[in-house]
Amino acid sequence: MTDPRLDALLHAAPALRLKTDPADLEHYGRDWTRRWTPAPLAVALPATVEEVQAVVRWANGHGIAVVPSGGRTGLSGGAVAAHGELVLSLERMNQALDFNAVDRTLTVQAGMPLEAVHNAARKHGLVYPVDFAARGSCSIGGNIATNAGGIRVIRYGNTREWIAGLKLVTGTGELLELNRGLIKNSSGYDLRHLVIASEGTLGIVVEATLRLTDPPPPTNVMLLALPSFDVLMEVFGAFRARLQLEAFEFFTDRALHHVLAHGAQKPFDDVHPYYVVTEFAIGDEAKEAAAMAAFEDCMEHGWVSDGVISQSDAQAAQLWRLREGITEALARYKPYKNDVSVRISAMPAFLAETQALLGQAYPHFDVVWFGHIGDGNLHINVLKPDDVGDADFVVQCEQVTKLLAEALKRHQGSISAEHGIGLVKKGYLESTRSAEEIAVMRGIKQVLDPNGLMNPGKLFDT
Ligand code: 2HG
Ligand code: ZN
């Protein structure tokens, strides 16, 4: 090492693995946003909690910012290191540490990929039910940092619901053990919940104790074709009233177009403007009859124009691919992403307003709508035309996001449902949080990270 600051770091933690190759700096310095040019000082890959603490203490001694890093699949720039920060990757801390059959908990290191968590739970005959398409690459620590949601929130809730305990290395290098796996703990502030969704701004999550649950009942997957946007919430109501829904997701014909171009199989001969993929419990005649009744009710009302139900696991996976493959299929168009939410009851009015707003604002852009409609969460991806420059495209999209943020304020929604604020949505935080709330958040950060070194510039400026 030639940088004396890094020499000092290795002196403080002699076994610490450090990377400084330009290719590594680029790889670890960015997330899926691809908007900022990565420029970290170095990448530290600790193997123990003590090494994480040593890194944070060194950072305080040298006034160097630390960007925690999981699978870097984030979509809001939360893991970007573009200003000489030290990236602290949890990649090597990726093991399951303990399974407790009585408590039904699994304690894992923060760098464990979500899919590995799923597999570890399944080995014990249980499930960790939070799930989404990035499962193979994202890490549980990153999921906690954004309170990740995904495709089964309608049934199981967000990541927050499944975190029974956390270990956090604070911005001063103290180790806090939060909630210790308890179900009931009425002993003051629940700091665990402050840390969840804090996007690495309060410290570094090094371990988590996850609640597990019983495997779901057998399910069927149904793909529905809808003639218009207006009937979406009616279809949701008809299905939710009769079935135990495991998922209820929607996407537009534009989304399907891109997924098919990316290799997925066409589900219907005709083109329809909107689609829903829903999964629900089956297993007895009554449930199967209820599913048919929901479908027929929707057909009779003209809310649904076609449908297909999975006959095998392979077909279920094929139908899911149409929804889960969207982000990957759109990636090459460098999409500008919106991830917004309102209460389900506010959804019809918000959808109508947003559709009118975006129709006017983006007459020439390909705008792809999809998302977790059953959770009141919409993803709106605006695709960059080839002849518009990157920076110009972002400027144009941000003007529209301003209008969207105003609509969200009117409907009391959120500018980030599940992707986090990071850098991308920082300018719009006030549409979702009051000035008083943001002041309290800053005060909390000041307590846990007095020198402002934990992922600075993300979520808000200090
Ligand atoms: C999803 O629901 C993810 O598939 C990604 O949250 C959404 O790419 C997006 O905008
Ligand atoms: Zn999503």
Side-chain angles (χ1 to χ4, degrees), residues 58-389:
W58 162 87
N60 275 273
H62 291 76
I64 291 173
V66 176
V67 176
S69 186
R72 293 176 305 286
T73 56
L75 299 167
S76 297
V80 168
H83 300 289
E85 304 94 330
L86 183 87
V87 173
L88 192 154
S89 166
L90 279 302
E91 186 175 286
R92 294 175 68 214
M93 294 174 65
N94 59 9
Q95 298 299 308
L97 300 174
D98 183 46
F99 167 70
N100 189 312
V102 178
D103 295 331
R104 301 183 124 196
T105 56
L106 181 71
T107 298
V108 301
Q109 293 180 303
M112 194 163 183
L114 177 61
E115 196 164 52
V117 170
H118 289 161
N119 294 339
R122 222 171 282 129
K123 242 180 33 201
H124 298 291
L126 294 170
V127 297
Y128 175 71
V130 179
D131 191 20
F132 39 88
R135 62 184 73 81
S137 327
C138 69
S139 72
I140 192 75
N143 296 177
I144 292 168
T146 53
N147 187 25
I151 53 179
R152 299 191 187 271
V153 171
I154 192 172
R155 171 90 169 94
Y156 297 104
N158 298 292
T159 298
R160 187 183 294 289
E161 267 70 53
W162 299 91
I163 306 300
L166 277 186
K167 281 192 189 168
L168 177 81
V169 172
T170 69
T172 54
E174 305 301 322
L175 182 65
L176 300 184
E177 199 174 341
L178 308 177
N179 198 56
R180 304 193 312 269
L182 296 170
I183 294 171
K184 300 184 101 175
N185 182 8
S186 184
S187 61
Y189 306 151
D190 195 335
L191 303 179
R192 158 190 56 158
H193 284 300
L194 270 183
V195 171
I196 299 168
S198 66
E199 303 189 31
T201 61
L202 301 179
I204 292 155
V205 173
V206 286
E207 279 176 32
T209 296
L210 312 173
R211 283 190 216 298
L212 305 180
T213 189
D214 291 315
T219 57
N220 255 343
V221 178
M222 200 186 260
L223 179 74
L224 304 167
L226 275 59
S228 77
F229 216 23
D230 309 338
V231 299
L232 192 53
M233 298 313 286
E234 313 287 357
V235 176
F236 176 55
F239 273 76
R240 189 168 65 164
R242 294 183 174 89
L243 297 164
Q244 183 188 308
L245 297 179
E246 299 280 317
F248 193 91
E249 301 274 313
F250 110 104
F251 51 95
T252 59
D253 177 52
R254 290 309 301 161
L256 182 66
H257 165 86
H258 289 289
V259 178
L260 296 182
H262 209 67
Q265 215 164 317
K266 198 171 172 200
F268 300 116
D269 290 337
D270 295 332
V271 171
H272 304 269
Y274 301 98
Y275 300 92
V276 160
V277 59
T278 179
E279 185 168 334
F280 45 82
I282 48 155
D284 60 47
E285 271 176 30
K287 290 199 184 93
E288 275 158 43
M292 281 329 291
F295 179 70
E296 277 158 17
D297 185 18
C298 290
M299 287 292 278
E300 270 161 31
H301 279 90
W303 298 334
V304 158
S305 24
D306 207 345
V308 53
I309 190 159
S310 62
Q311 305 294 337
S312 64
D313 286 354
Q315 199 186 3
Q318 235 174 44
L319 296 179
W320 263 119
R321 183 176 173 197
L322 301 174
R323 165 63 185 88
E324 289 205 291
I326 298 172
T327 298
E328 205 185 316
L330 300 183
R332 76 178 195 84
Y333 298 98
K334 298 187 177 171
Y336 180 90
K337 289 177 183 286
N338 292 290
D339 162 41
V340 299
S341 71
V342 292
R343 279 171 296 143
I344 298 171
S345 58
M347 206 67 197
F350 176 71
L351 280 178
E353 196 174 318
T354 308
Q355 220 187 5
L357 168 76
L358 298 191
Q360 270 172 13
Y362 290 127
H364 308 302
F365 289 173
D366 191 359
V367 182
V368 181
W369 296 60
F370 58 106
H372 320 282
I373 207 78
D375 313 327
N377 177 190
L378 275 180
H379 296 308
I380 304 165
N381 279 217
V382 187
L383 310 194
K384 192 185 83 59
D386 287 340
D387 59 349
V388 178

